[in-house]
């Protein structure tokens, strides 16, 4: 089973969280049946937003701010690689290099890790494009909220949470959002469009307890939002 995981930047804020996440990912690729192949895309989180806001204050345009965000996502990719036992040693910077290395990654049970790729979207879109490109069986979006809501639940306590959502509904929800560098949306609109066109099975999941990742991949159980 080939799984792409988009892990939100919040999980790279300290060594303990990174280690907890790495333990789970290692456990999955070392699983005795040998059937799980993992491709991880790391977000930039608060650190990326911090540097983006400094750059904006200095007059940088949005594309430059995006490149700053991309640089920070790659720093997080390196942090995760440092914590993993089974990582491919270098972060990937584009989709084609990952695809070219598929046989080596999969026979060696290595976890591929990459950050952002190009301005104009976020690592949600990177993970969706990667999932489409390598024909992944599952795309997991690991975030700090327990699924997709019709508004940001941190700002609107009455926001409605979805157990299931069609990809068309997801596109409708996300295209209302502004796509500036560092903007905080649960799934970016580019990712939603890729999920819609590719039909990849996608689950948005709270990763505060990384065991949730094992539950969904091995047992198919989750409390997130499934995009159908
Ligand atoms: P993130 O993917 O971390 O954005 O990329 P995010 O939505 O803030 O996600 P969380 O908070 O980590 O979950 C950080 C910023 O880097 C730029 C964008 O500006 C994005 O907001 N970026 C990232 C790109 O321009 N292209 C990419 O491929 C990735």
């Amino acid at each position: 089973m080939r799984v792409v995981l988009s892990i939100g930047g919040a999980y790279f804020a300290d060594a303990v969280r990174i280690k907890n996440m790495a333990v789970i990912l290692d456990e999955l690729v070392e699983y005795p049946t040998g059937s799980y192949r993992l491709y991880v895309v790391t977000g930039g989180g608060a650190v990326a937003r911090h540097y983006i806001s400094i750059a904006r204050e200095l007059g940088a345009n949005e594309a430059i701010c995006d490149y700053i965000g991309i640089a920070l996502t790659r720093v997080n990719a390196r942090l995760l690689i440092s914590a993993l036992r089974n990582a491919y040693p270098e972060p990937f910077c584009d989709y084609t290099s990952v695809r070219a290395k598929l046989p080596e990654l999969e026979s060696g049970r290595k976890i591929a890790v990459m950050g952002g790729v190009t301005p104009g979207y976020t690592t949600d879109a990177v993970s969706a494009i990667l999932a489409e490109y390598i024909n992944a069986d599952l795309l997991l979006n690991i975030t700090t909220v327990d699924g997709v809501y019709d508004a940001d639940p941190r700002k609107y306590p009455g926001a409605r949470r979805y157990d299931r959502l069609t990809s068309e509904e997801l596109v409708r929800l996300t295209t209302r959002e502004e796509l500036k560098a560092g903007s905080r949306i649960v799934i970016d609109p580019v990712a939603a469009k890729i999920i819609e066109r590719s039909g990849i099975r996608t689950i948005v999941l709270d990763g505060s307890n990384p065991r949730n990742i094992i539950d969904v991949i091995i047992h198919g159980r989750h409390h997130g939002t499934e995009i159908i």
Side-chain angles (χ1 to χ4, degrees):
M1 185 184 194
R2 201 174 271 168
V3 185
V4 173
L5 299 98
S6 171
I7 304 184
Y11 293 99
F12 305 99
D14 64 65
V16 174
R17 259 183 274 184
I18 299 171
K19 193 66 215 168
N20 290 343
M21 191 57 80
V23 164
I24 296 296
L25 301 176
D26 277 324
E27 193 174 320
L28 275 164
V29 288
E30 288 168 7
Y31 204 67
T33 57
S35 40
Y36 305 110
R37 302 286 180 263
L38 305 185
Y39 298 82
V40 179
V41 181
T42 52
V47 182
R49 281 190 292 275
H50 177 63
Y51 279 92
I52 286 169
S53 74
I54 293 177
R56 216 177 257 135
E57 261 184 65
L58 295 172
N61 63 36
E62 289 302 306
I64 293 171
C65 290
D66 279 342
Y67 273 117
I68 289 169
I70 291 168
L72 271 306
T73 63
R74 290 180 176 165
V75 169
N76 286 339
R78 287 220 183 258
L79 292 178
L80 182 62
I81 289 171
S82 306
L84 284 165
R85 275 194 304 269
N86 299 288
Y88 187 80
E90 285 293 316
F92 287 88
C93 295
D94 60 71
Y95 312 103
T96 49
S97 320
V98 177
R99 195 172 141 125
K101 289 264 180 215
L102 280 181
E104 183 184 332
L105 288 164
E106 304 211 336
S107 63
R109 293 204 202 183
K110 291 288 172 217
I111 302 172
V113 184
M114 69 188 286
V117 174
T118 196
Y121 50 66
T122 75
T123 47
D124 295 338
V126 173
S127 61
I129 295 166
L130 181 65
E132 183 178 57
Y133 196 49
I134 64 171
N135 294 315
D137 303 292
L138 177 64
L139 169 61
L140 288 183
N141 190 295
I142 313 294
T143 175
T144 48
V145 287
D146 58 349
V148 179
Y149 286 74
D150 62 355
D152 185 347
R154 289 167 289 220
K155 279 195 223 148
Y156 306 96
R160 173 182 167 210
R161 183 186 161 280
Y162 300 93
D163 286 333
R164 296 173 136 232
L165 199 64
T166 66
S167 53
E168 293 80 11
E169 285 169 323
L170 181 70
V171 168
R172 265 200 302 279
L173 271 180
T174 56
T175 42
R176 299 190 312 215
E177 305 286 345
E178 190 182 38
L179 193 63
K180 288 181 100 174
S183 61
R184 297 197 76 169
I185 44 179
V186 70
I187 285 207
D188 86 50
V190 180
K193 288 298 281 182
I194 304 287
I195 291 166
E196 183 188 33
R197 78 174 187 186
S198 63
I200 298 163
R201 184 173 173 229
T202 302
I203 297 168
V204 179
L205 195 70
D206 179 4
S208 309
N209 176 359
R211 290 256 143 215
N212 289 346
I213 299 171
I214 299 242
D215 267 355
V216 69
I217 293 180
I218 298 184
H219 309 294
R221 287 192 302 255
H222 68 88
H223 301 286
T225 298
E226 181 142 4
I227 317 299
I228 46 166

